Amino acid sequence: VTLVAPERRGRRLARSLVVALTVAAAAASVAAGARLASSSALTRSGLLDETGAASTCARAKPMPTTSAGTVGYALSAFGPSVSANCVTVTVRPLGGGQLFAAAYRGSFDPARPTQGYLGDLGTCTNTSGRPPRFSFRVPAGERFVVEVEQCGSSADKPQYELDVHRTTHR
């Protein structure tokens, strides 16, 4: 940041502004670090069962049943859109891991993995071949969350990339 100020009064104002900006940047850095640290340790119990078929926008998929198990997971939240959307999510595992992904309307409640369910990948990813994808409909004005978890019973944070594309539906 470069500050240009008149010589007398401006120096005090400029110093105060620099100090305030430095304090604000340090506070934001600490807050961001705290969010990153807390998201790396997320684990939950109660898993959606694999159905073998990914959800699509063309036809609503019935909510899968759940089974016991504990896994590490991560969340990606997306803001609302003015109009209804078909959202397509492609999951790319990093580091050779096997992952499962599901989408939820509004937010994700780890104690209730069927609440707000919109769709899922259908099966754990396979590291060879084309990255798996699924799609689902999101009503206008609604937020959604994509939850990505380890396959198996690993409590590690999943490593992945998401491609998320919205297509407007009238």
Side-chain angles (χ1 to χ4, degrees):
V1 175
T2 303
L3 296 175
V4 178
E7 232 176 87
R8 290 186 187 159
R9 286 187 315 188
R11 283 186 186 165
R12 263 187 267 174
L13 177 61
R15 282 187 201 130
S16 298
L17 183 57
V18 168
V19 168
L21 288 172
T22 302
V23 169
S29 175
V30 168
R35 282 194 298 271
L36 289 174
S38 66
S39 68
S40 65
L42 297 174
T43 59
R44 69 178 190 87
S45 299
L47 312 175
L48 294 180
D49 290 330
E50 294 179 57
T51 61
S55 61
T56 67
C57 290
R59 189 176 60 212
K61 180 178 175 179
M63 184 160 340
T65 57
T66 59
S67 59
T70 301
V71 294
Y73 73 98
L75 299 172
S76 298
F78 299 89
S81 179
V82 175
S83 55
N85 283 247
C86 171
V87 177
T88 301
V89 175
T90 304
V91 182
R92 288 186 180 84
L94 302 176
Q98 294 282 310
L99 305 174
F100 184 81
Y104 297 88
R105 183 184 214 167
S107 63
F108 175 69
D109 182 351
R112 297 183 206 138
T114 58
Q115 183 176 328
Y117 172 84
L118 292 170
D120 68 67
L121 207 50
T123 188
C124 286
T125 60
N126 187 338
T127 57
S128 63
R130 187 172 144 190
R133 69 181 59 173
F134 66 106
S135 60
F136 51 92
R137 291 187 179 273
V138 178
E142 291 285 335
R143 298 177 185 277
F144 68 95
V145 174
V146 176
E147 182 256 351
V148 179
E149 63 191 44
Q150 297 283 356
C151 290
S153 59
S154 173
D156 294 337
K157 181 178 178 184
Q159 300 297 314
Y160 63 92
E161 290 179 350
L162 288 181
D163 279 338
V164 178
H165 296 280
R166 297 182 193 206
T167 306
T168 303
H169 286 269
R170 299 184 206 291

